[in-house]
Amino acid sequence: MQKQNKKSAAALVCAAIMLAGCAGPENKITSSSFIAMDTYISATLYGDNGKEAAGKIKEEILRLEGLFSVTDEKSDLWRINHTAGGNARVSPDTAEIIGKTLEICEKSGGALDITLYPVVAEWGFTGNEYKIPGEDILKSLLENTDYRRVKVTGDTVSVPEGFQIDLGASAKGYAGDKIIGIMKAEGVSSAIVNLGGNVQTLGAKPDGSDWNIGIQDPFGEGYIGTLRVKDKAVVTSGGYERYFEENGKRYWHIIDPSDGYPADNGIVSATVIGDSGMFCDAMSTALFVMGTDKSQEYWRKHRDFEMILVGDDGTVTVSEGIYESFSPSEGVKVDLIK
Ligand code: AMP
Ligand code: MG
């Protein structure tokens, strides 16, 4: 029997908003929620300009979805994947997100690899028709993967024949950054947005205090703790977000480019905290693949983000810069890395 799960993002979102607390009577609150980018999206904006901004946010997300979808025949991604071997003209947003995501592919030593799409699709994580591919199939599909062979020149993107890319690892984060930009331009100074596990905060809560973000317990329904932040993106990649089970074994949607199987390097949830949603999104997926030891090594070397890692043995590791802002739930022990 096959069990499948596409995590109820709604539950997480509601909790995040509840944790955000209530504004005083002097503050207008605008809430907006809808489904896009294959996930539940919600935004809560405080202040007078919220309504106008909320409308623009939705428009922007739908526009970006139209560019980045791998399945929409009118998207830029579709054009890139169906012009493999040649040059595809794309919008500035598509060129930008691919260029920036490729930088993380490189920095992560290939743990992140946007050309894994044929492997992701073979597992059924695109159409939700899950299956365990044969080892030979995975091997042959992996021959047509290598992020270094994706070229972005101005508004032109090219991938070799037989290659296909997807931006599932960074698209929501990119959209989050765009939304923050729109809200700022509209004069909103306090807001929280959740794009299915990608939380982005603008400013502080209306009363000036930090937002409280619940970090999901990958083993259950609750939280491993709450994190206090302002003006930050908090992005989690979790094995619990999209998976199926067969014969008691869980197969999730984050793939290890070294063998084409779901990444199984000791991490079941990686949360990255930083200024850019896109960076945090790409990085959290990369850390999930890198695993516990390499992630810690990477963090010590770069120190340009903070992180919360949950290991498959239940250990919770928190980086130095957010250690004081993280309140673990009762019974959760935290290891500090510095
Ligand atoms: P996220 O939920 O942000 O961690 O991204 C997971 C999504 O990124 C998957 O649904 C795939 O579309 C894609 N993906 C899976 N494994 C990788 C990988 N190693 N590198 C890049 N993208 C990946
Ligand atoms: Mg990601």
Side-chain angles (χ1 to χ4, degrees):
M1 246 266 293
Q2 197 183 72
K3 251 184 23 190
Q4 61 181 39
N5 175 52
K6 207 178 121 192
K7 200 181 68 61
S8 163
L12 182 67
V13 170
C14 293
I17 297 303
M18 266 164 41
L19 288 167
C22 297
E26 72 281 11
N27 282 295
K28 259 198 207 158
I29 304 177
T30 308
S31 296
S32 158
S33 59
F34 53 97
I35 304 272
M37 293 186 147
D38 209 16
T39 197
Y40 183 86
I41 295 175
S42 77
T44 304
L45 299 77
Y46 297 87
D48 287 337
N49 306 329
K51 199 160 176 236
E52 182 88 4
K56 291 191 175 173
I57 285 174
K58 187 170 175 184
E59 258 173 47
E60 177 68 354
I61 292 184
L62 294 176
R63 184 182 74 84
L64 294 174
E65 178 180 33
L67 297 176
F68 302 158
S69 163
V70 266
T71 51
D72 179 349
E73 298 185 14
K74 293 191 287 301
S75 77
D76 278 357
L77 263 269
W78 178 278
R79 199 160 52 255
I80 293 167
N81 290 340
H82 291 80
T83 322
N87 292 323
R89 275 299 251 331
V90 298
S91 76
D93 284 302
T94 308
E96 185 186 351
I97 184 177
I98 293 176
K100 286 185 172 170
T101 308
L102 285 173
E103 284 173 23
I104 315 275
C105 292
E106 180 72 35
K107 282 178 87 175
S108 68
L112 193 74
D113 190 333
I114 58 172
T115 64
L116 271 184
Y117 182 63
V119 179
V120 172
E122 187 65 26
W123 281 93
F125 287 117
T126 302
N128 293 340
E129 298 214 356
Y130 304 122
K131 66 164 182 287
I132 304 170
E135 224 173 298
D136 291 354
I137 292 177
L138 289 177
K139 255 195 194 137
S140 79
L141 288 174
L142 282 172
E143 279 168 21
N144 279 343
T145 63
D146 184 352
Y147 68 90
R148 288 166 296 199
R149 302 193 58 196
V150 178
K151 302 290 174 219
V152 183
T153 318
D155 61 357
T156 299
V157 178
S158 68
V159 301
E161 215 176 322
F163 276 50
Q164 288 194 305
I165 62 171
D166 96 283
L167 299 169
S170 58
K172 286 188 281 173
Y174 184 87
D177 289 338
K178 286 277 170 169
I179 289 170
I180 295 286
I182 286 174
M183 291 192 293
K184 281 184 180 165
E186 291 294 317
V188 176
S189 54
S190 175
I192 184 164
V193 181
N194 192 324
L195 304 96
N198 285 39
V199 176
Q200 298 215 204
T201 59
L202 172 60
K205 286 202 287 193
D207 66 3
S209 63
D210 290 343
W211 304 98
N212 295 308
I213 313 293
I215 308 297
Q216 176 101 7
D217 178 355
F219 299 105
E221 289 298 311
Y223 297 102
I224 54 161
T226 53
L227 181 70
R228 291 181 300 285
V229 292
K230 54 176 88 145
D231 256 327
K232 291 282 181 231
V234 180
V235 180
T236 301
S237 283
Y240 57 85
E241 286 181 317
R242 187 174 299 206
Y243 65 84
F244 67 93
E245 281 176 358
E246 211 164 285
N247 299 326
K249 189 165 163 48
R250 187 173 286 197
Y251 299 89
W252 48 62
H253 67 308
I254 301 173
I255 304 295
D256 192 332
S258 68
D259 60 8
Y261 283 88
D264 189 14
N265 300 311
I267 290 183
V268 289
S269 154
T271 298
V272 173
I273 301 100
D275 294 329
S276 154
M278 203 233 77
F279 173 86
C280 293
D281 198 355
M283 206 61 232
S284 65
T285 309
L287 296 183
F288 193 101
V289 175
M290 283 184 205
T292 319
D293 297 342
K294 280 196 185 149
S295 290
Q296 296 196 15
E297 227 172 81
Y298 186 96
W299 181 82
R300 287 202 172 95
K301 190 168 155 207
H302 294 275
R303 291 176 191 264
D304 52 355
F305 62 92
E306 301 297 335
M307 64 183 188
I308 302 169
L309 306 178
V310 183
D312 54 12
D313 56 0
T315 52
V316 176
T317 309
V318 174
S319 61
E320 194 177 18
I322 47 149
Y323 187 72
E324 297 295 334
S325 318
F326 181 67
S327 306
S329 301
E330 213 183 319
V332 174
K333 192 182 142 299
V334 172
D335 291 334
L336 164 69
I337 72 151
K338 51 184 181 180

